[in-house]
Amino acid sequence: MDDRRRVMTDGGVLIEGSRIAKVGKLSEVKDWPEAEFELDADGMVILPGLIDTHVHLAQALLRGCADDTSLIEWLQKFVWPLQGNFEGEDGKVSAELCMLEMIKSGTTTFLESLLHSRYGFDGIAESVQRAGMRGILSKTVMGLPGYGNQSSIMHPGMVEDPETCLREVESHFKKWDGRADGRIRVWYGARSLGGCTPELYRRIGEGARRLGTGVTMHLGEVQEDLRYVQREFRKLPGEFVDEVGLLDSRVVFAHGVWLTEKEWHILAKKAASVAHCPSSNMKLASGIAPVVEMARSGVNVGLGCDGGPSNNCYDMIREMKAASLLQKARLLDPLVADAESVVEMATINGAKALGMQNEIGSIEVGKKADLILVAMKKPHLIPVFNPVSHLVYAAEGSDVDTVIIDGKIVMRNRIVKTLDEHTVLDNATDRGARLLKRTGIAIQPKWNLL
Ligand SMILES: [Zn+2]
């Protein structure tokens, strides 16, 4: 992945500090006099780290807690009550589980979209610092405890006061934005339509412009979004967010399933990006985002795994395959969403969405050394005629062997160096069970669990 989309055989990358110093044939890069050590990538593909543009860190602990239901019931009956019962280190433990999974499947940068105060922002930010990942943490801003036309449906534990939310974004921004050698950024996480007044959306946009930061928000995820703004404001969702000024700052909209051609043009004109989450949209039966047409209209489309109860995993390699196959089946056209364009979605388009295209998203001299090595000597990946095809159609997250972020080795031979895997898994098992018990939600498998 570079500006010429070259796929180099027998290639090598020289890293100096946190940046890429040289890219070329191994013979040109190897034996660089100053090189301190060498990582053998024989039989592997070197890729830019994957960029997940829509993640809920606090939902890893809710994995498999709300299957086979649609979005609003999913939120009201399961996700909100569970997240509304988070206490102590639940948020931090969930974030560490999520990051462990992301690292082990090749994600190096993520955009977390809605952090409630009760998850413990500082604890999560400290974990991102320790895990060695690059992450944007968006603090939730909300004003109304509803979703779309359905008011007051939010669990009391999830309700936050708008003034406190706005104040907290600023204090988190001052404390954390640019920390961990610039790996941590802080954005506004605006609640979905029905969760904020137009005035509050305006204040979010103003705040983002004043701080020079970004905003992320779920938009047009389900048909209810559309019905709500049409009824309340006689507008389409994309027109509404434009009118309240959210498009005048850097903004990433998750999903965009129900946005129309008119709205794609508005988003494209204002350089807003969409985080496409195909697995989540399929599982919650929200619909299929027309991302092929959206991209043709000039909208930058990245890829996202969403969350533990909607996907139910944070594996961008699996997500690439879902993204590709879904568009082909929808349009009855095997030519659309080809492997190359989907790898772009997961790398350089993600970087553009986050405003980091000059720093990450490709393997080019001067960019940050965020790289992954994917092992190809495996039964499901041999023979290799076109590595790009294998990455999308045949590989899986567990084929990622090595992860380098900001020039530091975060995983080698599938051993994560920054987080203790056993401790993270034990803590999550324990915290997950206690959370369910405290919330009073019993997961009833349809088949007898003996
Ligand atoms: Zn989401």
Side-chain angles (χ1 to χ4, degrees), residues 54 56 113 218 221 254-255 306:
H54 186 65
H56 295 275
S113 66
H218 296 65
E221 179 176 2
H255 306 294
D306 207 352

Side-chain angles (χ1 to χ4, degrees), residues 398-434:
S398 57
D399 296 324
V400 177
D401 177 272
T402 298
V403 173
I404 299 166
I405 306 173
D406 214 35
K408 295 192 177 70
I409 300 169
V410 171
M411 180 172 83
R412 179 68 176 150
N413 298 325
R414 295 203 57 70
I415 309 289
V416 176
K417 314 252 181 206
T418 51
L419 295 169
D420 182 69
E421 184 161 347
H422 291 290
T423 307
V424 171
L425 299 184
D426 288 348
N427 286 345
T429 305
D430 176 48
R431 289 255 166 200
R434 278 158 54 193

Side-chain angles (χ1 to χ4, degrees), residues 7-213:
V7 179
M8 199 173 292
T9 51
D10 299 320
V13 179
L14 182 76
I15 298 169
E16 214 167 50
S18 67
R19 293 192 184 268
I20 295 168
K22 199 170 171 64
V23 184
K25 287 282 181 185
L26 191 56
S27 53
E28 299 161 10
V29 175
K30 209 173 148 73
D31 303 327
W32 198 253
E34 302 93 38
E36 278 172 40
F37 66 94
E38 189 178 299
L39 285 182
D40 185 1
D42 184 35
M44 299 189 196
V45 172
I46 309 176
L47 268 188
L50 304 177
I51 299 170
D52 191 328
T53 53
H54 186 65
V55 171
H56 295 275
L57 292 172
Q59 288 185 0
L61 216 52
L62 276 56
R63 194 192 313 276
C65 283
D67 294 337
D68 311 321
T69 175
S70 62
L71 182 79
I72 294 183
E73 187 180 78
W74 176 91
L75 284 169
Q76 195 177 5
K77 284 195 180 164
F78 302 99
V79 173
W80 283 338
L82 285 162
Q83 293 186 321
N85 271 289
F86 267 46
E87 60 177 41
E89 295 207 323
D90 287 346
K92 184 186 168 80
V93 166
S94 185
E96 289 184 357
L97 175 65
C98 186
M99 287 191 283
L100 184 64
E101 185 184 354
M102 287 196 279
I103 292 167
K104 295 201 84 169
S105 51
T107 295
T108 54
T109 297
F110 64 87
L111 169 58
E112 149 64 55
S113 66
L114 283 170
L115 284 178
H116 191 290
S117 300
R118 71 179 311 133
Y119 308 156
F121 193 98
D122 285 344
I124 290 174
E126 280 160 20
S127 291
V128 178
Q129 185 164 26
R130 199 154 49 84
M133 290 193 79
R134 199 178 294 288
I136 297 177
L137 301 174
S138 307
K139 164 73 189 82
T140 305
V141 181
M142 65 165 288
L144 305 164
Y147 190 108
N149 288 320
Q150 304 194 48
S151 53
S152 303
I153 60 165
M154 190 177 271
H155 184 272
M158 290 301 286
V159 177
E160 292 186 270
D161 162 66
E163 299 304 326
T164 313
C165 290
L166 291 168
R167 245 192 341 266
E168 284 186 359
V169 178
E170 298 218 13
S171 62
H172 295 321
F173 184 86
K174 280 191 192 110
K175 185 168 177 187
W176 286 104
D177 192 76
R179 286 278 298 279
D181 302 320
R183 284 187 286 109
I184 298 177
R185 306 305 304 269
V186 177
W187 280 22
Y188 286 81
R191 267 244 173 253
S192 316
L193 297 171
C196 294
T197 60
E199 178 54 26
L200 185 54
Y201 284 125
R202 273 190 198 99
R203 291 179 66 192
I204 292 169
E206 282 161 15
R209 288 191 290 283
R210 184 164 38 79
L211 297 179
T213 191

Side-chain angles (χ1 to χ4, degrees), residues 382-394:
I382 292 289
V384 186
F385 302 120
N386 176 4
V388 185
S389 160
H390 278 12
L391 288 165
V392 174
Y393 300 128

